[in-house]
Amino acid sequence: MILNVNKIRNKITALTAAIMLAGTTSAAAQSGEVPDVTIHASLDTAAVTMGDRTVLHIQVLKNMHEGTIVGLPKAEEGKQILTLGSAEVRDIAVDSTDLGNGRTQLNYNLILQPFEVGMLSLAPFKYACQGDTAYSEIVSLKVNEPEIPKEMRDSLYINPMVGTVSIPAHWYDVIPEWWPWALLALGLIAIAVAVMYLYKKNGPSLLPRKKVIPPYILAMSRLKDLKNRKLAETGQEKEYYTQLTDILRQYLEGRFKIYAREMTTKQIIEAMKENKETNIFTESILPTLETADFVKFAKQTPLPNENIRAFATVHDFVEATKPVEEEEQQGKGAKKSGKNGHRAKKGNKKNSKNKK
């Protein structure tokens, strides 16, 4: 059997204190005098749950002489928390009261917080004053185990040791921890390559450039489409002249920077007169614009030859003011087609010879 030395020591100390206290009390009772020093200890409660707090009260009554209390926790080097038995001391408060007649009362209040389940017994405190020593009662505190849900209580049980368990490997176990940085670097490289490619292809805007159709080609295409629709022949003169004048206005804007779409007939003629390239065409264009105004606003019906003349006027104006570059391109195309035709003729001659 293993003896608990601390418990035996506490019991001996408590027994000695009880005997001395009984003798002192008996002597004081027989003599009718108040003892020079008395000390009492008590707790706010007799039982607490582990981790809860309670207050230990120590009361000393003595004469006006200096003394010393023994048994309070003291700070030790390398020890950050004060302890009293198995409980931690969270705070110590001391105050004194003058009772008169040379008597003083000292009050020690200690806040205890136990963290071990079981019975906590504190040895008697003693107070020594001019050769006279008094002992307090033994203080005991029951520390109960906290209530734990069954699921948590079962999880605290330690399972018996088992053999080595192999953990299956996965593909992501071999991926290094720095993979996000590598992915980020690859993303930045991809963005840089895309920006360089778009810059070379589309310029500083990086966006694809909208293909601009030259004013001459656009006007000729629209005139061809208007002719094929045969609006004037089917009695849709208003729509016919609306489309015809819109083609003219768009061409003036794109070719000569004359913003005719927002102008009246009079303003268009004045703007054409101020332009060196268009001033010679004002007399031919004016009747077409005036006829269009009569048809659109006065609801007049023009003669068929007027419709043909208006179309021819706009077509001839566009053809006459065709840019030089487009003339050269058309000339090159004609030469190529001529060469191809010449070659085709030679081929036909050879074929005819072979047939002969």
Side-chain angles (χ1 to χ4, degrees):
M1 180 182 293
I2 300 174
L3 299 177
N4 192 324
V5 178
N6 291 330
K7 288 185 177 181
I8 296 175
R9 185 185 301 168
N10 291 340
K11 289 182 180 179
I12 295 173
T13 305
L15 182 59
T16 304
I19 295 172
M20 295 178 65
L21 182 62
T24 304
T25 305
S26 177
Q30 291 177 1
S31 61
E33 297 178 357
V34 179
D36 291 340
V37 179
T38 60
I39 182 170
H40 300 283
S42 62
L43 289 165
D44 280 350
T45 180
V48 294
T49 303
M50 183 179 68
D52 290 345
R53 297 184 180 186
T54 186
V55 180
L56 170 64
H57 302 279
I58 303 174
Q59 184 184 75
V60 178
L61 295 174
K62 68 182 188 68
N63 293 330
M64 299 295 285
H65 300 292
E66 294 295 331
T68 303
I69 187 170
V70 180
L72 292 180
K74 296 181 180 179
E76 299 178 7
E77 186 176 355
K79 192 175 182 181
Q80 298 180 351
I81 300 175
L82 298 178
T83 58
L84 192 60
S86 61
E88 296 182 2
V89 180
R90 295 303 179 188
D91 189 25
I92 300 177
V94 183
D95 64 76
S96 61
T97 304
D98 187 0
L99 303 177
N101 297 326
R103 301 283 290 175
T104 302
Q105 178 178 326
L106 301 178
N107 297 313
Y108 298 85
N109 298 318
L110 290 77
I111 299 178
L112 305 181
Q113 188 175 18
F115 288 98
E116 292 184 10
V117 177
M119 185 63 69
L120 171 62
S121 296
L122 301 178
F125 298 93
K126 62 181 179 179
Y127 192 89
C129 180
Q130 284 194 344
D132 192 4
T133 303
Y135 294 85
S136 70
E137 303 85 354
I138 297 175
V139 178
S140 297
L141 178 66
K142 184 179 180 181
V143 182
N144 297 318
E145 184 178 357
E147 295 183 2
I148 303 177
K150 185 178 182 302
E151 294 79 5
M152 295 180 63
R153 186 185 298 274
D154 294 341
S155 66
L156 296 176
Y157 293 148
I158 300 176
N159 295 325
M161 184 177 294
V162 297
T164 304
V165 179
S166 61
I167 301 175
H170 301 280
W171 63 268
Y172 47 79
D173 293 334
V174 298
I175 299 178
E177 296 181 356
W178 44 266
W179 71 266
W181 298 105
L183 188 62
L184 178 62
L186 291 175
L188 293 176
I189 293 172
I191 292 173
V193 172
V195 170
M196 292 177 63
Y197 172 77
L198 293 175
Y199 182 82
K200 289 182 178 179
K201 184 178 180 181
N202 303 323
S205 65
L206 302 182
L207 300 176
R209 299 175 183 175
K210 187 177 180 180
K211 187 176 180 180
V212 179
I213 302 175
Y216 167 77
I217 296 176
L218 180 60
M220 295 302 290
S221 176
R222 293 188 64 187
L223 286 170
K224 182 179 179 181
D225 181 65
L226 178 62
K227 186 176 182 180
N228 293 334
R229 292 175 65 184
K230 297 182 179 181
L231 296 174
E233 291 84 342
T234 58
Q236 303 179 61
E237 288 85 359
K238 182 178 180 180
E239 179 66 18
Y240 174 78
Y241 278 96
T242 300
Q243 294 294 328
L244 184 63
T245 54
D246 185 68
I247 294 171
L248 176 62
R249 292 170 187 268
Q250 186 181 42
Y251 180 72
L252 288 171
E253 182 175 338
R255 177 71 175 83
F256 304 105
K257 306 303 179 184
I258 297 174
Y259 300 99
R261 289 188 174 185
E262 305 296 331
M263 295 180 181
T264 61
T265 297
K266 183 179 179 180
Q267 291 173 339
I268 293 173
I269 296 301
E270 291 177 356
M272 290 180 66
K273 288 180 179 179
E274 294 176 359
N275 190 292
K276 295 179 180 180
E277 296 181 87
T278 61
N279 57 2
I280 60 175
F281 298 97
T282 54
E283 293 183 2
S284 60
I285 294 294
L286 179 59
T288 301
L289 293 175
E290 289 178 344
T291 302
D293 290 340
F294 285 128
V295 174
K296 290 189 293 184
F297 303 113
K299 297 182 180 181
Q300 292 186 3
T301 303
L303 298 174
N305 60 343
E306 291 179 326
N307 299 335
I308 296 172
R309 185 170 56 251
F311 183 89
T313 301
V314 176
H315 181 276
D316 294 344
F317 170 69
V318 173
E319 191 65 39
T321 56
K322 177 172 58 176
V324 178
E325 295 179 357
E326 295 175 4
E327 289 182 356
E328 292 178 354
Q329 289 178 0
Q330 286 187 349
K332 291 179 181 178
K335 288 180 181 179
K336 288 182 180 179
S337 62
K339 289 179 180 180
N340 293 334
H342 183 64
R343 289 175 184 174
K345 288 180 180 178
K346 287 183 178 180
N348 292 334
K349 289 181 180 179
K350 290 180 180 179
N351 292 335
S352 63
K353 289 180 180 180
N354 292 333
K355 287 180 182 179
K356 290 178 180 179

